[in-house]
């Protein structure tokens, strides 16, 4: 037996390609549990756009064509089929047939690989897909980035392994009960990474080890955000923010959509050319003066009269295919006899990415707080296959098509990090590829329809996305297209339509448990005050959702630290924590929000028909949203669960029925959880966390780490933050608050915690604990 490090290359059996050509299988261990497989049959060049890790020094033993690390065994057969086994010799995954294509240029050749799975082996991930289910078996898609479907080429199995198919060309993915196949149109080689994590958390850690960890986002980004398609003047935007402040609706960010730049020939000029948005220094200052932030829409394309277009076009850094908008006029439907000439730019060019940022500095210098990078897939109108043969700085577009969002978003993140350490990069974007989590971005699910089916699809879409290692997901709360609920086109009557009121409220309640809570859409306004006033059930339910979100900010921000420093996940598919409970293997209606909260949003209409129609067409009369209805919730086996509202304790492994009205947000705490509750605020930093309520749910031992820093800069990367560990000993009934670790400028030196024990369905009176950073214990 021989022992080697790093790379093993085998020249074995031939695939059906050009006479005399050989397929060479390279096996490269990056870590003991991450291995790269490359099958090459030509000298096709290779670029690594997603993976940033280099192979480590890994002890690997070889016996014939079998290679063993401490965690994995890799066997390569004489016909180049690879099998992966765990350290005990159990087969994790085995390859099936592969195909090696031919092309005039080696890198243009197709490549496909099939894999064999167990009959009872669900697989997850792939990206953001509007499939409405967790298990990806049964999927058959040609994957090209789109408006409402985004692809990362990453799957993981219930058996605790993951696979990243490292190819950027359009790729067909097919999966059945017997296996799955990746078939890429270009690339010239088979190239993938096998990650054995043992469980879903381990796989996610491996993905981020390969492709990059998640930076901290600012605290304000976890507050409520209000948007609309679109605010047509700065005065209208300020009016909304002012009314929120006057009515006491908490909010942290206003979002300005398109057309602040003027007409479509000036598309994405990144300047406030429209008369309605003049004097941006003044009105942006007013937003900040009301303790809110501003996010603004920017695109991947430019109109022919913009400075960007005129700089990029002579350098060949625009892509000549049709994108949005196609008309230079604002008429609807679009007037194609006045073509806009708008074209996407080429983010595969470093020069083009730098030009993009150089123009974006005009907005950055105005102290804008976040970027809404729309259409980063990008929109591809009047699609023709020949468009994929267009040249980019990295070769034909077909070779790199699906990595477009990765390069576009990365260009903004990298350039801002070079010049600004005082403001964390925050990017809201519509498309994504593997590795994009390292760029401070949150991907939303695109322009989805406003209906119940669409709402239900968002939950598994976000959970599967998280299982690709990308934790930051959100959707347009209320759905994007909502005009069918109006009596007449865009007359805004939907705000009084019970069918839409119920849908919007439930979508907002789901948003409590998303990494970003952002209300947005077209044709119907989403601002809360259009839906009633205090004391009315719809308004109260919407306001209650926003307030519940703010009460959870200390928990959410501490979870953000776990995501960033510990490879954690916000929205955890139930298989991540309860894999032994087969009832949750394909459950896409509930999830863990962090490790303590079971979120079970109401995803079905209780009061109205599930139809996207106006009230007059619905056939219903007035609706009493305070009337109690019944919903079902499944409580996973392996834990005991407390109803957050009633404190009632349930055993896991059962489906329960509970009462609910429109204001009800089903939320359960796992026994052993420690939950911090923040102050009642109008924006995230209005009050210090010097008087937090700490809720302890008895029935199991538990821990929680409270994280704090300066909330919006990168000093945390230099260790300027604090953590306070809370340890609950269930047997002794004592809570220990450990010595504070770390420090940062402006941190709280002294504070108090109001500790509440919930035990066997009973909430005990709070005990106040004074805390100055030293270890203290309290008997509850």
């Amino acid at each position: 037996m021989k022992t080697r490090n790093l790379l093993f290359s085998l020249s074995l059996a031939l695939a059906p390609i050009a006479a005399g050509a050989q397929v060479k299988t390279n096996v490269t261990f990056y870590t003991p549990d991450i291995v790269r497989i490359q099958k090459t049959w030509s000298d096709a060049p290779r670029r690594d756009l997603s993976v940033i890790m280099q192979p480590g020094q890994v002890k690997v033993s070889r016996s014939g064509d079998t290679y063993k690390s401490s965690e994995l065994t890799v066997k390569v057969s004489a016909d180049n089929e690879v099998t992966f086994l765990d350290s005990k010799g159990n087969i994790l995954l085995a390859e099936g047939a592969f195909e090696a294509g031919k092309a005039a240029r080696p890198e243009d050749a197709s490549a496909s690989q099939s894999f064999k799975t167990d009959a009872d082996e669900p697989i997850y991930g792939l990206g953001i897909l509007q499939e409405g289910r967790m298990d990806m078996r049964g999927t058959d898609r040609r994957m090209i980035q789109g408006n409402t479907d985004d692809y990362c080429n990453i799957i993981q199995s219930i058996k605790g392994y993951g696979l990243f198919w490292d190819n950027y060309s359009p790729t067909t993915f097919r999966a059945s009960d017997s296996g799955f196949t990746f078939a890429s149109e270009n690339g010239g080689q088979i190239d993938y990474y096998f990650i054995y994590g043992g469980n879903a958390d381990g796989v996610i850690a491996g993905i981020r080890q390969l492709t990059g960890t998640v930076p901290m986002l600012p605290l304000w980004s976890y507050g409520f955000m209000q948007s609309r398609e679109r605010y047509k003047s700065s005065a209208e935007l300020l009016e909304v923010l002012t009314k929120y402040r006057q009515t006491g609706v908490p909010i942290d960010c206003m979002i300005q959509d398109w057309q602040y730049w003027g007409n479509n020939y000036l598309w994405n000029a990144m300047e406030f050319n429209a008369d309605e948005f003049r004097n941006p220094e003044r009105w942006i200052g007013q937003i900040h003066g009301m303790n809110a932030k501003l996010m603004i829409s920017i695109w991947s394309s430019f109109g022919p009269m913009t400075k960007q277009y005129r700089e990029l076009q002579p350098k060949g850094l625009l892509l000549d295919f049709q994108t949005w908008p196609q008309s230079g006029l604002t008429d609807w439907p679009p007037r194609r006899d006045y073509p806009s000439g708008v074209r996407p730019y080429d983010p595969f060019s470093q020069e083009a990415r730098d030009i993009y940022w150089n123009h974006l500095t005009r907005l950055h210098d105005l102290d804008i707080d976040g970027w809404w990078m729309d259409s980063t897939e990008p929109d591809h109108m009047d699609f023709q296959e020949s468009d994929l043969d267009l040249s980019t700085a990295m070769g034909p577009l077909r070779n790199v098509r699906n990595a477009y969002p990765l390069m576009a978003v990365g260009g903004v993140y990298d350039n801002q990090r070079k010049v600004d350490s005082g403001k964390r990069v925050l990017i809201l974007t519509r498309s994504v590829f593997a590795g994009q989590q390292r760029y401070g971005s949150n991907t939303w699910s695109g322009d989805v329809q406003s209906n119940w089916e669409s709402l239900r699809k968002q939950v598994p879409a976000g959970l599967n996305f998280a299982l690709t290692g990308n934790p930051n997901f959100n959707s347009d709360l209320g759905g994007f297209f909502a005009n069918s609920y109006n009596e007449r086109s865009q007359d805004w009557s939907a705000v009084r339509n019970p069918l839409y009121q119920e849908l919007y409220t439930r979508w907002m309640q789901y948003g409590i448990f998303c990494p970003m809570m952002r209300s947005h859409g077209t044709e119907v306004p989403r601002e809360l005050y259009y839906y009633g006033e205090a004391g009315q059930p719809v308004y109260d339910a919407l306001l209650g959702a926003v307030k519940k979100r703010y009460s959870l900010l200390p928990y959410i921000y501490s979870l953000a630290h776990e995501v960033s420093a510990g490879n954690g996940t916000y929205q955890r598919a139930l298989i991540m924590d309860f894999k032994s409970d087969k009832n949750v293997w394909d459950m896409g209606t509930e999830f863990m929000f962090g490790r303590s909260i079971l979120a079970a949003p109401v995803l079905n209409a209780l009061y109205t028909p599930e139809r996207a129609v106006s009230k007059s067409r619905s056939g219903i009369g007035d609706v009493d949203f305070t009337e109690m209805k019944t919903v079902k919730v499944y409580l996973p086996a392996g834990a005991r669960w407390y109803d957050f509202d009633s404190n009632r304790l349930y055993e896991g492994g059962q489906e329960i029925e509970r009462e609910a009205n429109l204001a009800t947000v089903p939320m359960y705490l796992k026994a052993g959880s420690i939950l911090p509750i923040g102050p009642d605020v109008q924006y995230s930093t209005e009050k210090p966390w010097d008087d937090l309520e700490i809720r302890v749910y008895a029935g199991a031992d538990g821990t929680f780490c409270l994280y704090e820093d300066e909330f919006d800069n990168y000093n945390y990367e230099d260790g300027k933050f604090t953590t306070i560990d809370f340890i609950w000993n269930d047997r002794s009934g004592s809570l220990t608050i450990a010595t504070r670790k770390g420090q940062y400028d402006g941190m709280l030196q002294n504070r108090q915690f109001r500790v509440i024990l919930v035990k066997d369905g009973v909430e005990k009176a709070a005990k106040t604990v004074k805390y100055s950073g030293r270890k203290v214990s309290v008997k509850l």
Side-chain angles (χ1 to χ4, degrees):
M1 180 178 292
K2 299 179 180 178
T3 298
R4 291 184 179 178
N5 287 335
L6 300 181
L7 178 65
F8 296 90
S9 298
L10 309 174
S11 297
L12 297 172
L14 307 183
I17 58 175
Q22 287 188 322
V23 172
K24 183 168 67 174
T25 299
N26 296 327
V27 180
T28 308
F29 277 85
Y30 277 54
T31 69
D33 50 17
I34 300 176
V35 62
R36 181 181 190 179
I37 303 297
Q38 292 173 283
K39 295 181 183 180
T40 58
W41 52 91
S42 67
D43 58 352
R46 176 66 199 166
R47 292 186 181 90
D48 290 322
L49 302 181
S50 294
V51 173
I52 58 177
M53 182 186 184
Q54 296 299 315
Q57 293 293 320
V58 182
K59 185 177 181 180
V60 180
S61 63
R62 174 180 178 180
S63 178
D65 298 330
T66 300
Y67 307 89
K68 289 185 178 182
S69 71
S70 59
E71 302 296 330
L72 274 179
T73 296
V74 180
K75 293 183 177 181
V76 184
S77 71
D79 57 359
N80 280 300
E81 292 187 0
V82 179
T83 301
F84 304 91
L85 305 92
D86 65 18
S87 59
K88 297 180 180 179
N90 300 308
I91 293 176
L92 297 169
L93 180 67
E95 288 185 349
F98 70 92
E99 293 183 5
K102 295 185 293 182
R105 296 190 336 146
E107 61 267 34
D108 295 340
S110 62
S112 70
Q113 178 69 63
S114 64
F115 300 88
K116 305 170 187 177
T117 58
D118 297 341
D120 188 22
E121 183 186 345
I123 56 176
Y124 310 100
L126 209 59
I128 300 173
L129 279 68
Q130 302 298 322
E131 297 242 349
R133 55 194 167 88
M134 287 300 302
D135 188 353
M136 287 292 101
R137 291 179 297 177
T139 299
D140 186 346
R141 285 180 176 244
R142 185 192 186 204
M143 300 188 296
I144 301 180
Q145 307 292 16
N147 184 315
T148 59
D149 294 287
D150 303 299
Y151 305 104
C152 297
N153 290 9
I154 294 172
I155 61 95
Q156 62 165 293
S157 161
I158 196 72
K159 293 168 69 173
Y161 69 79
L163 188 145
F164 170 40
W165 180 260
D166 195 3
N167 188 292
Y168 318 119
S169 72
T171 297
T172 297
F173 177 83
R174 297 187 179 93
S176 67
D177 289 344
S178 60
F180 60 91
T181 299
F182 284 98
S184 293
E185 297 172 13
N186 283 44
Q189 61 181 272
I190 291 167
D191 191 353
Y192 68 89
Y193 294 81
F194 182 87
I195 304 158
Y196 183 52
N199 55 38
D201 282 304
V203 173
I204 288 170
I207 293 167
R208 295 191 192 151
Q209 193 174 4
L210 279 171
T211 64
T213 56
V214 182
M216 289 289 293
L217 301 181
L219 175 64
W220 64 262
S221 71
Y222 299 102
F224 179 59
M225 299 184 180
Q226 184 63 67
S227 181
R228 186 199 298 173
E229 195 285 298
R230 57 186 166 84
Y231 299 119
K232 295 183 179 180
S233 69
S234 59
E236 186 177 27
L237 185 148
L238 286 168
E239 180 184 9
V240 172
L241 178 58
T242 299
K243 194 153 188 176
Y244 271 172
R245 290 288 181 245
Q246 291 172 343
T247 56
V249 177
I251 187 169
D252 263 87
C253 182
M254 293 296 301
I255 303 178
Q256 177 58 48
D257 206 345
W258 56 336
Q259 293 294 52
Y260 59 86
W261 48 71
N263 62 57
N264 287 354
Y265 298 110
L266 290 170
W267 187 264
N268 196 32
M270 299 176 179
E271 292 185 82
F272 294 101
N273 295 319
D275 290 340
E276 298 81 3
F277 290 92
R278 298 292 187 186
N279 302 313
E281 295 89 349
R282 177 186 57 81
W283 59 266
I284 293 173
Q286 289 177 286
I287 291 172
H288 290 158
M290 285 188 276
N291 298 294
K293 307 293 184 180
L294 175 65
M295 180 185 292
I296 198 160
S297 172
I298 57 176
W299 289 60
S300 298
S301 51
F302 297 101
M305 298 306 295
T306 61
K307 297 172 184 176
Q308 297 94 320
Y309 187 106
R310 286 178 282 157
E311 185 172 357
L312 292 162
Q313 195 271 340
K315 297 176 181 287
L317 297 176
L318 295 173
L319 301 177
D320 192 19
F321 63 76
Q322 292 286 314
T323 191
W324 179 265
Q326 291 177 282
S327 174
L329 306 180
T330 57
D331 301 54
W332 189 260
R335 290 279 303 273
R336 298 292 294 277
D337 53 335
Y338 286 90
S340 69
V342 174
R343 292 294 181 267
Y345 92 110
D346 180 3
F348 302 102
S349 160
Q350 180 65 59
E351 182 182 10
R353 295 195 298 273
D354 290 344
I355 290 171
Y356 190 99
W357 172 256
N358 288 341
H359 289 276
L360 188 55
T361 56
R362 291 193 292 271
L363 298 180
H364 180 256
D365 290 346
L366 290 170
D367 202 22
I368 289 174
D369 304 284
W371 311 118
W372 177 7
M373 295 188 68
D374 207 339
S375 189
T376 48
E377 64 272 12
D379 278 310
H380 195 153
M381 318 297 286
D382 299 338
F383 174 81
Q384 302 179 57
E385 280 292 326
S386 59
D387 291 343
L388 296 175
D389 299 323
L390 293 170
S391 294
T392 75
M394 291 186 178
L397 179 60
R398 188 185 304 271
N399 292 21
V400 291
R401 175 66 183 85
N402 283 342
Y404 191 105
L406 176 71
M407 305 305 291
V409 171
V412 171
Y413 177 86
D414 287 340
N415 274 296
Q416 184 169 331
R417 285 302 307 267
K418 291 176 184 176
V419 300
D420 189 349
S421 62
K423 187 189 295 288
R424 293 179 193 168
V425 182
L426 177 66
I427 296 171
L428 168 65
T429 189
R430 198 171 73 184
S431 192
V432 66
F433 194 69
Q436 203 162 302
Q437 72 278 353
R438 65 181 182 255
Y439 291 139
S441 63
N442 187 307
T443 306
W444 99 94
S445 55
D447 300 339
V448 298
Q449 296 292 326
S450 297
N451 57 53
W452 289 94
E453 180 183 9
S454 184
L455 169 58
R456 287 189 285 269
K457 286 180 178 180
Q458 302 319 299
V459 181
L463 296 177
N464 272 308
F465 182 52
L467 288 167
T468 70
N470 283 270
N472 287 309
F473 168 83
N474 77 105
S475 64
D476 290 341
L477 300 182
F480 185 70
F481 294 108
N483 196 39
S484 57
Y485 294 93
N486 289 319
E487 294 293 341
R488 296 178 301 278
S489 180
Q490 301 190 44
D491 68 356
W492 289 14
S493 59
V495 301
R496 299 180 298 279
N497 182 348
L499 282 75
Y500 187 70
Q501 290 174 334
E502 184 176 10
L503 174 68
Y504 182 37
T505 301
R506 296 307 188 193
W507 215 315
M508 282 282 285
Q509 291 168 346
Y510 163 61
I512 297 169
F513 308 110
C514 292
M516 179 180 286
M517 189 181 191
R518 179 187 58 90
S519 171
H520 177 69
T522 190
E523 303 158 340
V524 176
R526 310 304 162 90
E527 292 78 12
L528 273 59
Y529 48 78
Y530 284 106
Y531 295 82
E533 57 187 23
Q536 296 180 342
V538 177
Y539 179 86
D540 286 351
L542 290 169
L543 179 59
V546 176
K547 283 184 170 290
K548 178 162 284 190
R549 172 69 169 204
Y550 276 85
S551 74
L552 293 175
L553 281 186
Y555 176 80
I556 295 171
Y557 198 64
S558 298
L559 178 54
H561 170 65
E562 181 187 338
V563 169
S564 181
N567 291 314
T569 300
Y570 299 101
Q571 295 182 302
R572 300 173 60 83
L574 294 182
I575 58 106
M576 297 183 71
D577 297 287
F578 306 101
K579 185 169 72 171
S580 60
D581 184 352
K582 286 193 173 184
N583 291 315
V584 307
W585 281 15
D586 195 25
M587 185 170 288
T589 55
E590 304 173 12
F591 54 94
M592 294 297 292
F593 187 50
R595 297 182 182 272
S596 298
I597 297 173
L598 173 65
V602 178
L603 302 174
N604 296 281
L606 300 182
Y607 297 91
T608 62
E610 287 196 355
R611 299 169 59 201
V613 297
S614 64
K615 183 180 178 182
S616 64
R617 294 177 58 201
S618 70
I620 66 170
D622 294 334
V623 174
D624 180 5
F625 284 122
T626 65
E627 180 186 353
M628 283 297 177
K629 302 289 187 176
T630 301
V631 296
K632 294 180 179 180
V633 176
Y634 181 76
L635 302 175
R640 302 170 76 197
W641 300 95
Y642 286 89
D643 184 322
F644 180 77
D645 294 323
S646 69
N647 293 322
R648 182 176 175 181
L649 178 63
Y650 296 88
E651 296 295 327
Q654 63 170 321
E655 184 178 73
I656 63 169
E657 288 190 350
R658 62 160 297 160
E659 287 191 327
N661 60 21
L662 187 66
T664 302
V665 183
M667 170 177 155
Y668 294 81
L669 275 297
K670 187 170 60 175
S673 295
I674 301 170
L675 180 68
I677 300 294
D680 184 12
V681 293
Q682 290 299 293
Y683 54 93
S684 59
T685 57
E686 182 186 18
K687 298 175 185 176
W689 295 348
D690 58 356
D691 187 24
L692 295 181
E693 179 181 305
I694 305 295
R695 301 180 66 84
V696 179
Y697 292 86
D701 292 341
T703 62
F704 178 78
C705 179
L706 179 67
Y707 173 86
E708 295 164 297
D709 61 18
E710 295 169 289
F711 296 143
D712 192 8
N713 59 42
Y714 288 99
N715 289 341
Y716 75 90
E717 293 181 340
D718 298 322
K720 294 183 179 181
F721 61 87
T722 62
T723 58
I724 302 173
D725 291 323
F726 294 75
I727 305 99
W728 167 247
N729 187 307
D730 198 60
R731 174 174 292 184
S732 67
S734 65
L735 177 71
T736 298
I737 306 174
T739 300
R740 182 179 56 224
K741 299 176 183 177
Q743 61 181 357
Y744 62 90
D745 291 343
M747 72 181 194
L748 290 171
Q749 299 290 344
N750 299 287
R751 68 204 307 171
Q752 67 179 28
F753 298 112
R754 290 173 289 110
V755 182
I756 295 174
L757 176 66
V758 182
K759 183 175 182 179
D760 298 330
V762 177
E763 179 176 312
K764 296 190 176 183
K767 288 190 176 182
T768 299
V769 179
K770 301 293 185 180
Y771 183 77
S772 60
R774 296 180 179 178
K775 179 180 176 180
V776 60
S777 295
V778 57
K779 187 81 171 179
L780 299 178

